[in-house]
């Protein structure tokens, strides 16, 4: 076996891929949030123009493939690792560990990820596929140029109470997932240091609260204010 | 003190086990957990029944032979001790105590609560040593080692190889054990020449044995009788990456 294959099929190699893909997705979430928040602006033009740029720019289109790759790799490796983990203990304990010294969310990464995956599929159908492939989105004209009115699509969606509740629940689980995922990715990369690890852990907690909260305020504001 | 015991009984690795209920009465609060099992076994032998098989050796917390998953905790519900150092005063009088073997695919049950931890030895054989000829006794100050590294290496070296980390991990991962052995040698100049080869071989042996993968929950360090920290796992990862990507192996 070549060094490359043996590295990336080993336990630590697979964990490395998981953590890098995870950190990549963590950065993506920030970019996505930044653009999303524009929909709250009084003038929808900014959001629609940015969405148009994100949907048509060639570099972004290439990066979109990388992004989907990141999601898929994160999921496939998670599945591989999880199956191995289940197989490693064929007979379960009758009474499981009740220790409270470990992080609560760290034990439920695969469970929270299932909720996030279901959300992701519905989310893609709600917006991405509708805008990109189905095309039943109304158009608006800015300076004589036509744009998809995606802001209207978002606003229509979040006037539905059911959609708002579903998004909020999904974001809660995303927060749980990130709470462990953020600092865990650094530990896996071997980044552990007396000076920096407390900072990373703190940033992880802040990130896992603020980012889902930032996403959550969009459906909430649209539902209650518009 | 009286106790109701729910103990895992299993004839051998191939057979299906089950819980059997026992009762012990008149146990002194100063009795150690293993002595309590001894009393139970003497009673069972006296009654002509088969005693409960469990691992033990030094009974002073340094050999790593005793195991047992007691009421959901490896080495019982107390921090930084092995089962032999656990005393019955930690339990309420009349309590029901559930005793299971350490469970992991690489730790097959030999009989009842006794498990086969050869997988740990196999990983040590894969690289948990230095093969340099030591020669004569060197001068005390010939090899300089910083106090920090010497302390960290000593902390890692306090691992007794009991397998509580594997037992406590929800993934039955042996990474805390491997990381302790890798760290103990990688931190010292004597271990450096073979560091890359060691970490690659030990991780390969770990994966080969069928242990799970670490998900950084920290359950292992919470249950380790020697309080080995998961910072060692981060060091193991660093050692592994440097061996994989930077060394010519």
């Amino acid at each position: 076996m070549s060094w490359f294959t043996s590295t990336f099929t080993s336990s630590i190699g697979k964990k490395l891929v998981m953590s890098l893909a995870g950190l990549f997705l963590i950065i993506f979430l920030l970019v996505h949030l930044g653009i999303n928040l524009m929909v709250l602006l009084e003038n929808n033009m900014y959001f629609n123009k940015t969405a148009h740029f994100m949907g048509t720019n060639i570099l972004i289109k290439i990066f979109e493939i990388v992004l989907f790759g990141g999601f898929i790799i994160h999921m496939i490796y998670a599945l591989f690792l999880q199956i191995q983990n289940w197989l490693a203990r064929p007979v379960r304990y009758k009474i499981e560990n009740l220790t409270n010294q470990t992080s609560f969310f760290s034990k439920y990464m695969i469970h929270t990820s299932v909720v996030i995956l279901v959300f992701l599929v519905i989310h893609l159908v709600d917006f991405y596929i509708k805008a990109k492939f189905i095309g039943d989105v109304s158009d608006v004209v800015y300076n004589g140029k036509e744009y998809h009115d995606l802001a209207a699509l978002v606003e229509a969606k979040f006037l539905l109470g059911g959609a708002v509740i579903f998004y909020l629940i999904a974001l809660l689980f995303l927060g749980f997932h990130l709470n462990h995922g953020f600092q865990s990715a650094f530990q896996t990369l071997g980044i552990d240091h007396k000076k920096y690890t407390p900072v990373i852990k703190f940033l992880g907690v802040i990130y896992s609260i603020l980012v889902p909260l930032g996403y959550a305020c969009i459906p909430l504001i649209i539902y209650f204010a518009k | 003190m009286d106790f109701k015991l729910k103990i895992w009984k299993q004839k051998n690795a191939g057979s299906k086990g089950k819980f059997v209920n026992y009762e012990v009465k008149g146990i002194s609060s100063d009795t150690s957990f293993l002595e309590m099992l001894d009393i139970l076994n003497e009673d069972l032998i006296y009654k002509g029944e088969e005693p409960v098989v469990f691992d033990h050796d030094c009974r002073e917390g340094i050999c790593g032979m005793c195991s047992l998953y007691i009421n959901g905790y490896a080495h019982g519900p107390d921090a930084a001790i092995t089962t032999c150092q656990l005393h019955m005063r930690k339990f309420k009088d009349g309590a029901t105590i559930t005793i299971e073997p350490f469970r992991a695919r690489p730790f097959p049950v030999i009989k009842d609560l006794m498990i086969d931890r050869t997988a740990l030895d196999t990983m040590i054989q894969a690289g948990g040593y230095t093969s340099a000829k030591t020669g004569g006794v060197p001068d005390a100050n010939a090899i300089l080692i910083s106090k920090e590294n010497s302390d960290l290496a000593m902390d890692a070296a306090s691992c007794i190889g009991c397998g509580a980390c594997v037992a406590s991990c929800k993934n039955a991962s042996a990474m805390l054990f491997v990381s302790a052995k890798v760290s103990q040698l990688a931190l010292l100049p004597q271990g450096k020449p073979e560091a890359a080869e060691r970490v690659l071989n030990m991780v390969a042996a770990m994966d080969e044995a069928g242990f799970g993968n670490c998900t950084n929950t920290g359950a292992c360090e919470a249950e380790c009788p020697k309080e080995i920290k998961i910072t060692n796992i981060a060091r193991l990862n660093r050692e592994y990456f440097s061996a994989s990507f930077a060394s010519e192996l």
Side-chain angles (χ1 to χ4, degrees):
Chain A
M1 211 183 337
S2 79
W3 72 271
F4 190 84
T5 328
S6 67
T7 301
F8 287 102
T9 51
S10 75
S11 51
I12 299 181
K14 278 182 282 196
K15 275 160 52 67
L16 171 69
V17 175
M18 272 296 284
S19 67
L20 289 176
L23 286 175
F24 171 66
L25 296 175
I26 280 173
I27 297 167
F28 159 72
L29 277 180
L30 278 181
V31 178
H32 192 355
L33 175 62
I35 297 172
N36 279 15
L37 287 173
M38 286 183 172
V39 84
L40 295 175
L41 295 173
E42 203 54 43
N43 189 346
N44 282 342
M45 182 185 78
Y46 299 105
F47 179 76
N48 283 336
K49 277 195 169 175
T50 312
H52 178 78
F53 170 79
M54 295 304 280
T56 50
N57 182 282
I58 183 72
L59 280 178
I60 303 282
K61 276 187 156 177
I62 293 168
F63 206 70
E64 198 171 73
I65 298 166
V66 178
L67 176 64
F68 276 110
F71 270 110
I72 288 165
I73 286 172
H74 194 68
M75 288 188 283
I76 288 177
Y77 271 74
L79 201 63
F80 274 143
L81 289 164
Q82 186 61 56
I83 288 170
Q84 279 183 330
N85 293 349
W86 280 324
L87 290 177
R89 180 163 293 139
V91 184
R92 312 301 299 183
Y93 290 112
K94 185 175 160 59
I95 298 183
E96 279 279 359
N97 199 325
L98 305 165
T99 183
N100 49 13
Q101 289 178 58
T102 62
S103 122
F104 175 78
F105 298 122
S106 69
K107 293 175 199 152
Y108 301 102
M109 291 302 272
I110 194 75
H111 311 86
T112 51
S113 75
V114 171
V115 177
I116 296 166
L117 178 62
V118 170
F119 163 76
L120 188 67
V121 172
I122 294 174
H123 180 60
L124 285 175
V125 171
D126 273 354
F127 299 115
Y128 182 82
I129 292 177
K130 222 175 225 176
K132 202 129 189 163
F133 301 107
I134 302 175
D136 62 342
V137 184
S138 58
D139 288 335
V140 279
V141 180
Y142 302 119
N143 307 327
K145 207 175 155 205
E146 269 195 5
Y147 294 91
H148 280 328
D149 193 1
L150 291 171
L153 186 70
V154 174
E155 281 164 10
K157 184 86 209 170
F158 290 143
L159 285 176
L160 308 169
V164 173
I165 291 170
F166 173 69
Y167 269 72
L168 291 181
I169 292 171
L171 287 167
L172 190 67
F173 278 88
L174 178 66
F176 294 162
H177 196 73
L178 289 168
N179 184 286
H180 176 66
F182 190 100
Q183 57 97 7
S184 176
F186 287 92
Q187 162 81 4
T188 296
L189 290 176
I191 300 171
D192 174 82
H193 195 281
K194 238 185 195 164
K195 290 175 187 163
Y196 309 115
T197 300
V199 179
I200 290 170
K201 286 193 172 166
F202 177 74
L203 282 180
V205 173
I206 295 291
Y207 182 97
S208 71
I209 294 169
L210 286 190
V211 169
L213 211 61
Y215 278 108
C217 73
I218 296 166
L220 280 175
I221 290 175
I222 291 176
Y223 186 77
F224 287 107
K226 297 211 175 176
Chain B
M1 300 176 90
D2 302 341
F3 298 102
K4 292 186 184 70
L5 305 174
K6 218 180 202 10
I7 299 179
W8 183 260
K9 291 281 287 176
Q10 183 171 339
K11 206 165 170 231
N12 54 47
S15 63
K16 242 183 120 155
K18 62 174 198 303
F19 283 98
V20 176
N21 294 320
Y22 297 97
E23 273 185 51
V24 283
K25 289 193 159 76
I27 301 286
S28 149
S29 61
D30 291 334
T31 310
S32 84
F33 199 85
L34 296 185
E35 284 164 353
M36 183 275 294
L37 289 178
D38 290 337
I39 293 168
L40 168 72
N41 277 346
E42 278 178 13
D43 194 37
L44 289 175
I45 292 165
Y46 184 73
K47 286 195 280 191
E49 288 177 41
E50 198 180 57
V52 175
V53 177
F54 61 93
D55 272 316
H56 61 101
D57 193 7
C58 76
R59 299 209 178 194
E60 51 189 65
I62 53 171
C63 75
M65 256 333 269
C66 59
S67 54
L68 307 184
Y69 204 74
I70 303 159
N71 283 348
Y73 295 93
H75 293 298
D78 208 351
I81 55 156
T82 53
T83 298
C84 60
Q85 296 169 303
L86 176 67
H87 289 84
M88 298 318 291
R89 53 181 171 268
K90 276 280 158 193
F91 299 89
K92 283 205 182 90
D93 190 20
T96 301
I97 304 172
T98 306
I99 312 170
E100 298 175 73
F102 282 0
R103 295 196 189 281
R105 188 156 62 109
F107 290 170
V109 170
I110 296 171
K111 192 171 167 59
D112 301 344
L113 302 170
M114 183 185 267
I115 48 161
D116 182 355
R117 282 167 283 187
T118 307
L120 299 181
D121 299 330
T122 310
M123 291 189 285
I124 293 290
Q125 283 159 13
Y129 53 83
T130 61
S131 63
K133 298 227 178 352
T134 50
V137 181
D139 264 358
N141 292 324
I143 304 170
L144 297 178
I145 301 166
S146 72
K147 173 82 167 87
E148 291 80 27
N149 278 359
S150 140
D151 286 351
L152 288 171
M154 195 59 210
D155 287 348
S158 63
C159 167
I160 52 175
C162 64
C165 45
V166 178
S168 317
C169 175
K170 76 176 178 65
N171 311 321
S173 166
M175 281 199 194
L176 191 68
F177 170 81
V178 173
S179 74
K181 302 301 173 189
V182 163
S183 292
Q184 150 198 349
L185 294 167
L187 282 161
L188 298 176
Q190 294 90 336
K192 287 242 159 69
E194 291 164 303
E197 206 181 338
R198 172 180 311 115
V199 70
L200 293 178
N201 290 340
M202 288 190 78
V203 168
M206 172 177 78
D207 293 348
E208 172 89 33
F211 289 103
N213 309 286
C214 171
T215 50
N216 307 325
T217 67
C220 53
E221 72 173 5
E223 290 299 322
C224 174
K226 298 298 160 188
E227 301 186 297
I228 310 271
K229 297 283 165 237
I230 58 169
T231 53
N232 287 299
I233 298 183
R235 187 179 297 104
L236 167 72
N237 295 351
R238 289 200 295 278
E239 288 287 323
Y240 187 77
F241 299 144
S242 101
S244 296
F245 300 116
S247 84
E248 299 205 348
L249 288 173

